[in-house]
Amino acid sequence: MMAAKWFSVQGQKLGFAFFMLLQHFVHVSYSFPEEIERGSLIGNIAKDLGLDASKLPSRKARVDSESNRKRYCDINLITGDLIVAERIDRESLCGEKVSCILIFELILEGPLELHRISLQIQDINDNAPVFTKEEIKIEINELAVKGSRFRVNEAHDTDIGPNAVQNYVIQKNNHLVLEIQSKSDGSKFAELVMYKELDREEQQEFRLLLTALDGGTPQRSGTAVIHVIVLDANDNAPVFSQSVYQTDIPENSPLDTVVLAVTATDADEGLNGEVTYELIRISETGRKTFMLNPTTGEIKLIGPLDFEEESTYEMRIEAKDGYGLTSDSKVIIDITDVNDNPPVINIKSLTKPIPENMSPGTEVGIINVQDRDSEINRQVRCSIQQNVPFKLVPSIKNYYSLVTTGHLDRELVSDYNITITATDEGSPPLSSSKIVQLSVGDVNDNPPVFEEQSYSTYVTENNKPGSTLCSVTARDPDWRQNGTVIYSLLPGEVNGAPVSSYLSVNGDSGVIHAVRSFDYEQFRSFKVQVMARDNGSPPLSSNVTVSVFITDVNDNSPQILYPAPEGSSFMTELVPRAAHGGSLVSKVIAVDADSGQNAWLSYHIVKSTDPGLFTIGVHSGEIRTQRDISESDSMKQNLIVAVKDNGKPSLSATCSMYLLISDNLAEVPELKDMSFDESSSKVTSYLIIALVSVSTFFLTFIIIILGLRFCRRRKPRLLFDGAVTIPSAYLPPNYADVDGTGTLRSTYNYDSYLTTGSRTSDFKFVTSYNDNTLPVDQTLSKSPTDFNDMSFPFFSP
């Protein structure tokens, strides 16, 4: 850009140390003219400071102004160029000050750096000289002698230096010439010098064109008309008591306050000695702030003062007597600062959100504090009031670093509202506060936690696959995906099979389902491990044990172990005819694979050859005689016994018990099929009755035979040779008695013998510790089709 050729760069580097933080504080100065276009290049500040331009965006490079004034410059983050951001008018910024310097700061983060930028604004000739009045009235006494001087109101040019007023030119005339004078401050003014006397009678008044010229390029000018009035003699001009008046006034002074009074005296008398005052040179701001009493010379305050906006006012006051002789004096009014501006807190940088695993002492924000007052009134101290894990550490100049002082935990506190208070050192001190909102970012630092230490569930056997057993719940206090819980089964085996073939778990809800139907008789309980895993990175997890208990249902019918079920052989018990009522003749043994009340068995005789002869124990299964056996009772007795469990609904099984009433196997006829036949039983009864009725002799013979058998029975003996002991009864493993509630309730001791060599039968002699048990019990076992090979299975409960 064309404006760049005006620029000059001056760099001065100074090092400062602030609270153990070594940062570079470089002062860079640029000089350029006012009124250049926006976007014009000032200089490449990245190159001048030795910075890497590619890192400017990541380091959040920015230009900040002091005292919150406009940002007249900005930085291009791509090239590192410092450019003009606003229109710069030197006159509005600095007025008539010889030096106009704007101070800015270049701020970079990571690490924090602060660089001072000075912009020296050069004046250009953009303002023309202006007279305070379009017509300047000068009254000259006709007695004025050649060489008399008459001061002319000077023109004002807001430019400075060579661009200010440098010369005056007056229209040619026959009486007055113009001479240029210089003041101590370098400004120029004009005086009219008489080179030919005036004659009021010839010419009472005349007008001359006065032109003020500045020294700029191109040159600018301003004009005014000098109205010369010829008067009678007035030979003394007013004289001020001071050539320069200077005073101080606080910026909070009320309106109508008399700032000061100027005084000028005139040695003349009468109208020639009457002095009036007039402001002949003052800035537009000063004209709105102060008013001059033309008669008394008092300067009053008519507008508000603000030290931060303008700290000094300069003006010129002219004293004029009644006939136009004048003099002037300079007035300087300094505005003194009062503590009327509270500190301003600016958040320059803030980390959002703050990770909760951030270590103590980490910088999370940069705070800047400004106070527009001066000296001690702008000294500010900053603090945090609340009990929070943060503190302010003074950094560079009026910057503070917001750092953590402890560990953060989002699950305990997720947001902080920090009140930062800034207080100045004025009297009385002023303060301001700003609330900074900080949010804590979540980190996956909490594993899921189950609501219970372990879970138990009960399921009845024969359940439907897919049925719901229970649900597990784990909570994760983390946020979003870090707190999302996913459930799964840990690998394992149940009875040699993968756990996944028994159970499944819903990954989202934690509901556990049965994959298959369970059988209480196979296994009654098992345990699995359920894992709860969050969705963080890396994921965290925890496990819990789930115990599954299978409850029994009545799905197994009783199984009769003795007598053996009908098939290839059947069991036959011998009952002595001399057996008394209540004698134990046999026992039905049954078991049930179920448990609890489903395995409680009861025994019932559902059909018998002689219903009144035998009874069975409801819970023991023992078959006993109800009465003494008589000769009239049928030799062949067939009982059908039903065994029922206590389940709901109840299941049952039946068996047939074959009994032979006889004292000697020799009396037992050839065994035939002894399956229960009601019609044959009745025929046999009829035959016996008929036989007894026909022959009394035969009855007597039978009684004698019974008497002999009775005597023989009192002395037990082995009737047969080659007796072999039968082993104890074998019970299948699934039918073990459990807690006295199983199927084998009573305890008996049986001695069993088998005989060989008999043509017709084998015998079993039963000895019991029960007093009502028959001394000798004989059992005949024979195949329904073949009685030559006989076996006698026997169970000893």
Side-chain angles (χ1 to χ4, degrees):
M1 296 183 182
M2 296 302 296
K5 66 181 182 180
W6 292 89
F7 306 153
S8 64
V9 181
Q10 299 174 355
Q12 297 177 348
K13 298 185 178 179
L14 300 175
F16 291 91
F18 295 94
F19 300 93
M20 300 175 65
L21 296 175
L22 294 178
Q23 302 289 348
H24 293 291
F25 189 93
V26 180
H27 185 182
V28 182
S29 297
Y30 296 93
S31 178
F32 60 96
E34 63 174 329
E35 300 291 352
I36 63 175
E37 296 179 359
R38 293 182 184 178
S40 298
L41 176 66
I42 298 175
N44 191 296
I45 194 168
K47 180 179 178 181
D48 297 336
L49 294 175
L51 301 174
D52 187 353
S54 63
K55 295 183 179 180
L56 294 179
S58 62
R59 296 191 64 183
K60 301 179 182 178
R62 59 187 179 274
V63 175
D64 225 343
S65 62
E66 287 189 343
S67 304
N68 295 321
R69 67 167 65 213
K70 288 183 179 180
R71 283 193 313 160
Y72 291 98
C73 63
D74 204 348
I75 184 171
N76 187 318
L77 296 179
I78 299 176
T79 62
D81 291 336
L82 191 67
I83 59 175
V84 176
E86 296 283 345
R87 173 180 174 267
I88 299 177
D89 183 8
R90 192 203 65 81
E91 288 74 32
S92 62
L93 291 174
C94 302
E96 296 181 10
K97 294 180 181 178
V98 175
S99 177
C100 183
I101 298 177
L102 302 180
I103 303 298
F104 299 93
E105 292 172 344
L106 176 64
I107 302 169
L108 299 100
E109 299 182 14
L112 178 64
E113 289 187 25
L114 186 66
H115 302 284
R116 186 184 181 95
I117 304 172
S118 297
L119 302 182
Q120 174 125 22
I121 312 302
Q122 299 174 352
D123 184 48
I124 64 172
N125 192 27
D126 57 342
N127 292 282
V130 177
F131 288 95
T132 57
K133 295 181 180 179
E134 294 182 358
E135 182 177 283
I136 302 173
K137 184 183 292 186
I138 297 178
E139 296 175 340
I140 303 176
N141 194 284
E142 63 177 339
L143 297 181
V145 297
K146 185 178 180 180
S148 298
R149 294 178 175 272
F150 304 93
R151 185 168 180 176
V152 178
N153 291 347
E154 61 184 292
H156 176 61
D157 193 327
T158 54
D159 295 325
I160 61 172
N163 296 323
V165 176
Q166 299 295 322
N167 195 15
Y168 292 89
V169 177
I170 194 172
Q171 180 181 353
K172 290 184 178 182
N173 62 89
N174 296 325
H175 300 280
L176 300 172
V177 295
L178 195 64
E179 289 188 4
I180 309 301
Q181 305 291 336
S182 297
K183 297 182 181 179
S184 59
D185 59 0
S187 61
K188 307 213 180 258
F189 65 94
E191 286 184 336
L192 294 176
V193 180
M194 182 179 294
Y195 72 90
K196 181 180 180 181
E197 291 82 358
L198 296 174
D199 187 351
R200 186 175 184 276
E201 286 70 29
E202 290 182 1
Q203 190 176 10
Q204 294 184 358
E205 61 180 4
F206 57 91
R207 288 177 171 81
L208 303 174
L209 181 64
L210 177 65
T211 302
L213 302 171
D214 61 23
T217 303
Q219 191 176 53
R220 296 177 181 270
S221 63
T223 60
V225 175
I226 299 178
H227 183 192
V228 178
I229 301 175
V230 181
L231 301 176
D232 287 334
N234 180 24
D235 54 354
N236 290 291
V239 178
F240 281 96
S241 60
Q242 297 177 216
S243 60
V244 177
Y245 292 86
Q246 188 167 5
T247 187
D248 298 331
I249 180 173
E251 63 176 325
N252 60 349
S253 298
L255 299 180
D256 293 331
T257 298
V258 176
V259 179
L260 60 82
V262 296
T263 304
T265 58
D266 193 313
D268 294 325
E269 294 182 355
L271 184 61
N272 294 330
E274 293 181 1
V275 178
T276 59
Y277 303 94
E278 182 181 3
L279 282 171
I280 60 173
R281 183 176 177 183
I282 190 172
S283 65
E284 287 298 321
T285 305
R287 195 174 297 277
K288 297 176 182 178
T289 307
F290 301 99
M291 181 189 70
L292 174 65
N293 189 314
T295 304
T296 62
E298 290 182 344
I299 299 175
K300 281 188 178 183
L301 183 66
I302 60 173
L305 298 175
D306 191 346
F307 172 84
E308 289 71 38
E309 293 293 335
E310 195 162 353
S311 59
T312 302
Y313 292 89
E314 293 186 8
M315 61 191 78
R316 284 193 177 274
I317 298 178
E318 180 184 72
K320 182 172 65 173
D321 62 17
Y323 286 100
L325 296 181
T326 63
S327 65
D328 64 83
S329 179
K330 186 175 184 179
V331 177
I332 300 175
I333 301 175
D334 294 319
I335 311 302
T336 59
D337 182 44
V338 296
N339 192 28
D340 59 344
N341 290 284
V344 178
I345 302 171
N346 299 304
I347 309 299
K348 295 298 183 180
S349 178
L350 199 63
T351 302
K352 287 186 178 182
I354 305 171
E356 62 178 323
N357 61 348
M358 184 170 285
S359 58
T362 303
E363 182 182 85
V364 297
I366 298 175
I367 311 298
N368 175 256
V369 182
Q370 297 282 350
D371 194 315
R372 298 181 62 196
D373 296 320
S374 64
E375 298 179 353
I376 193 172
N377 293 331
R378 70 179 303 170
Q379 301 299 319
V380 179
R381 60 180 184 273
C382 223
S383 62
I384 296 177
Q385 303 295 335
Q386 300 99 322
N387 184 21
V388 293
F390 300 94
K391 68 177 180 180
L392 288 175
V393 177
S395 184
I396 302 172
K397 200 179 177 182
N398 52 352
Y399 284 84
Y400 292 82
S401 294
L402 181 64
V403 300
T404 59
T405 60
H407 292 283
L408 305 177
D409 190 343
R410 192 203 66 84
E411 288 69 43
L412 295 178
V413 181
S414 60
D415 295 282
Y416 291 91
N417 288 329
I418 301 174
T419 301
I420 298 176
T421 301
T423 305
D424 61 26
E425 298 292 339
S427 181
L430 299 178
S431 63
S432 61
S433 298
K434 192 178 190 69
I435 297 177
V436 179
Q437 294 182 342
L438 296 174
S439 59
V440 182
D442 185 49
V443 174
N444 192 29
D445 57 348
N446 290 282
V449 178
F450 285 94
E451 292 184 345
E452 300 181 18
Q453 294 183 352
S454 62
Y455 291 83
S456 298
T457 181
Y458 294 84
V459 56
T460 57
E461 63 174 331
N462 304 325
N463 58 292
K464 292 182 179 180
S467 58
T468 299
L469 301 186
C470 66
S471 65
V472 295
T473 303
R475 307 292 182 187
D476 193 321
D478 292 324
W479 195 45
R480 289 186 176 173
Q481 66 178 14
N482 293 334
T484 302
V485 179
I486 301 173
Y487 303 92
S488 61
L489 289 175
L490 289 179
E493 291 187 352
V494 176
N495 286 354
V499 67
S500 58
S501 64
Y502 287 87
L503 299 177
S504 67
V505 62
N506 187 301
D508 296 326
S509 64
V511 176
I512 297 177
H513 301 277
V515 175
R516 64 165 65 174
S517 178
F518 301 130
D519 189 353
Y520 175 84
E521 286 69 43
Q522 290 184 359
F523 54 91
R524 301 185 180 184
S525 65
F526 60 92
K527 294 182 179 180
V528 297
Q529 292 282 325
V530 177
M531 179 180 70
R533 174 181 59 84
D534 60 30
N535 207 25
S537 180
L540 301 178
S541 63
S542 60
N543 303 334
V544 72
T545 299
V546 179
S547 299
V548 180
F549 296 95
I550 303 170
T551 59
D552 184 46
V553 297
N554 193 31
D555 59 344
N556 290 281
S557 300
Q559 181 178 349
I560 299 174
L561 303 180
Y562 184 82
E566 294 185 16
S568 61
S569 64
F570 61 89
M571 303 299 299
T572 303
E573 298 282 354
L574 287 180
V575 180
R577 285 189 175 276
H580 297 289
S583 297
L584 175 65
V585 296
S586 186
K587 177 179 175 68
V588 176
I589 301 175
V591 294
D592 195 315
D594 294 321
S595 65
Q597 67 177 8
N598 294 329
W600 296 349
L601 303 181
S602 61
Y603 302 83
H604 309 274
I605 297 175
V606 296
K607 187 177 289 187
S608 64
T609 303
D610 188 349
L613 183 56
F614 298 100
T615 184
I616 189 169
V618 175
H619 301 297
S620 65
E622 296 176 347
I623 300 175
R624 296 179 182 272
T625 57
Q626 292 191 79
R627 57 178 174 79
D628 295 343
I629 297 177
S630 65
E631 292 295 336
S632 62
D633 291 329
S634 174
M635 180 182 294
K636 299 178 182 180
Q637 295 289 330
N638 189 357
L639 304 179
I640 297 179
V641 178
V643 183
K644 298 181 179 180
D645 60 26
N646 199 37
K648 292 183 180 180
S650 177
L651 301 177
S652 63
T654 59
C655 67
S656 296
M657 178 67 72
Y658 303 105
L659 303 176
L660 289 177
I661 300 175
S662 175
D663 289 328
N664 194 335
L665 285 177
E667 298 177 355
V668 178
E670 190 73 19
L671 294 175
K672 305 295 182 183
D673 187 6
M674 296 187 66
S675 59
F676 185 82
D677 189 347
E678 185 176 357
S679 61
S680 64
S681 177
K682 291 182 179 180
V683 171
T684 302
S685 299
Y686 293 152
L687 290 175
I688 293 174
I689 294 173
L691 189 60
V692 172
S693 301
V694 172
S695 180
T696 302
F697 175 79
F698 182 78
L699 180 61
T700 302
F701 179 78
I702 293 300
I703 294 173
I704 295 172
I705 293 298
L706 291 175
L708 293 175
R709 296 297 182 191
F710 178 77
C711 293
R712 188 182 307 165
R713 189 171 61 245
R714 297 187 62 183
K715 293 182 179 181
R717 61 185 178 88
L718 293 176
L719 300 180
F720 307 99
D721 297 332
V724 179
T725 304
I726 296 178
S728 299
Y730 170 77
L731 298 180
N734 288 344
Y735 298 90
D737 186 23
V738 181
D739 297 333
T741 61
T743 57
L744 305 179
R745 299 173 57 103
S746 302
T747 304
Y748 295 90
N749 186 15
Y750 295 90
D751 293 332
S752 306
Y753 300 90
L754 292 178
T755 63
T756 61
S758 172
R759 180 183 64 82
T760 59
S761 63
D762 291 339
F763 296 92
K764 177 179 72 174
F765 297 91
V766 180
T767 302
S768 172
Y769 294 111
N770 192 322
D771 293 339
N772 294 327
T773 304
L774 294 177
V776 177
D777 190 11
Q778 298 170 331
T779 302
L780 182 145
S781 175
K782 186 167 185 176
S783 171
T785 59
D786 187 4
F787 289 88
N788 293 327
D789 295 326
M790 300 181 183
S791 61
F792 292 85
F794 180 75
F795 301 91
S796 297

